[in-house]
Amino acid sequence: MTAKFIQLRRIPSSAVIVCHSLFSGYKGKAQRVLFLAGFFLVCVLPLFAQAPAMARDAAPKDKLIEKALVEYRRGNTPNALDRIYKVLEKYPKNARAIDLYNQINADEAKRLCRAAEIYFRNGETDLARAKIGDSRALSVDVFLSYVEEKVIEAKSYLANQNPVMCGESVAEILFFDPRNNEALKLKDLLGSSFFKELYNSVKREKQKLSSRKYLEAQKLSSNPVKALALANYALKLDPSNAPAAKFRKKMLNKLAKEEESGLDKSEKQRAKDKHRATVYFLKAEKYYKKRKFEKAFKYFEKAAAKDPSLEKAKKMKDETGELICTAELSSAFGFLASGKKRAASRCVKKARRYDPAMVAKKAEELIREAGKLTASGDKKGAGISFQQASLLNPGYEDAKNVAGASAETKEAWKLYRAGNYARCDDIISSAARQYPGNIEIMFLGSMNSAQLALDKGDFLETRKFLLRAVKLKPLHGEVWDFFNRMDELLNILGYEPERENE
């Protein structure tokens, strides 16, 4: 009934006005009734007759759209498109069909782009080109949007210091869109002598870090889970690190054997181990109460090894190790204050045996504390903290220099990031005289000088200082931040400077 009443709106307003004027001309009641009956037969009744036909006409259209939607949700795009084409051939202005058609088209265009990418990576370039052509034919906007996503991906690889993946991504982009300006810029950058030098520096730095992580992993070989994590990280930094790869394999075998031996144990054996773990735990508690922490640690460790599910043993082992480490560090600092460096070193070595993480953390805290004391003018307190930090971590041989310069560099970095390069240069120059040879100051000085040269438009000088910074800290984020300003960088690294250097 609703459809029928809607059709009454199809009566022209002019006809209604004329009928109203004629109707008002009839004075008698009988005449008016006759007029209304005639109006109903001539104007209204035909509309009611048309309504069922229109409803029948709309039903197939709606069914086809629903079927197309079902096929689309199932992932059968060709069938969905066929049904939508049929609707649009008959009803080219149907909004629902148009919206569904556009949505299916866009999804199909994106799917074809992904297929082209897969074919390209597999070396099937002819098939990849065919898919690209089909995608563009369906939706140029979707195709261009897909290429733009790939450009962003390539830049993210570069920002994450992965030029190999960036190069592969650029090759894909240029296959899809040979004239893509951003991809061509990236290609020029990756091919420049500057970038080759940068990449070699990055590889060397990562190889050093990888070697360090491998050595750390070896020291933790008694804990195969932690050792394996470090070995994996070492290989991520440098996949060619053969000793790390060999060590990783060894840890995997060790874990597999431990798991296998655990599975092979009979219920009787597991019960024995649990009982033994309880005996060790009770002994450990006994020594702990007597404050014989080293013996307590030994038995807590044994209990945890016999029964890994005994969480309390692990917790108490860690707590006891922390107590021993704290006491040994206190003794170490006492020996250091009285000039007994060998005795202090022995205490630190012992502390590291029970809680290596605590020793490393304490060293970092001391360096930060020394920096604060230096900034506040407490040179005596700062000197003590420097000595203690160097004792805990021999890598802080230049601890005084590092921490002493930290207050200066902190302010300089703020100015650098705010773009105040002239004021930053003043602070860096002063700090360089006070702390000669400090790498952090030298690095920031090189970066700041590169920015000053860039502001003057002197690209050769910019390039020189940027290369100097790269050699000092090739993995530093500030170096790679230059690559976000591609147009400036290409001027710095472009063919003119290259030719002048030849």
Side-chain angles (χ1 to χ4, degrees), residues 79-96:
N79 280 358
L81 281 172
D82 284 343
R83 284 172 169 74
I84 288 296
Y85 286 146
K86 287 176 184 177
V87 176
L88 289 173
E89 281 173 8
K90 198 168 183 182
Y91 308 99
K93 293 183 180 179
N94 185 281
R96 191 180 174 205

Side-chain angles (χ1 to χ4, degrees), residues 390-427:
S390 299
L391 174 68
L392 300 187
N393 189 342
Y396 289 146
E397 290 173 2
D398 195 28
K400 188 172 183 178
N401 199 5
V402 171
S406 64
E408 302 275 351
T409 53
K410 191 175 180 181
E411 185 184 353
W413 273 120
K414 284 182 182 176
L415 293 166
Y416 173 83
R417 291 185 180 115
N420 193 344
Y421 305 126
R423 177 68 185 130
C424 178
D425 188 55
D426 292 339
I427 293 173

Side-chain angles (χ1 to χ4, degrees), residues 321 324-336 340-360 362-363 366 387-395:
I324 298 168
C325 185
T326 302
E328 290 300 326
L329 288 180
S330 179
S331 298
F333 296 150
F335 284 128
L336 184 67
K340 298 176 181 177
K341 290 186 178 181
R342 284 188 181 179
S345 294
R346 282 196 296 271
C347 288
V348 171
K349 189 176 180 181
K350 192 174 178 181
R352 202 175 282 118
R353 151 81 176 90
Y354 289 101
D355 197 337
M358 185 180 177
V359 175
K362 186 66 177 175
L366 286 166
Q387 276 190 322
Q388 291 175 346
S390 299
L391 174 68
L392 300 187
N393 189 342

Side-chain angles (χ1 to χ4, degrees), residues 87-107:
V87 176
L88 289 173
E89 281 173 8
K90 198 168 183 182
Y91 308 99
K93 293 183 180 179
N94 185 281
R96 191 180 174 205
I98 290 168
D99 288 344
L100 186 56
Y101 169 77
N102 289 335
Q103 189 177 351
I104 295 171
N105 246 12
D107 286 354

Side-chain angles (χ1 to χ4, degrees), residues 288-323:
Y288 186 87
K289 286 174 184 176
K290 290 181 179 180
R291 301 188 66 79
K292 295 182 178 180
F293 296 126
E294 287 181 38
K295 285 191 175 182
F297 182 90
K298 176 185 172 183
Y299 283 108
F300 280 134
E301 195 172 40
K302 283 185 174 184
K306 278 289 178 185
D307 182 9
S309 66
L310 192 59
E311 292 295 330
K312 196 173 179 183
K314 292 178 186 177
K315 186 180 176 183
M316 290 300 293
K317 169 183 163 285
D318 292 341
E319 186 182 314
T320 309
E322 191 176 324
L323 286 169

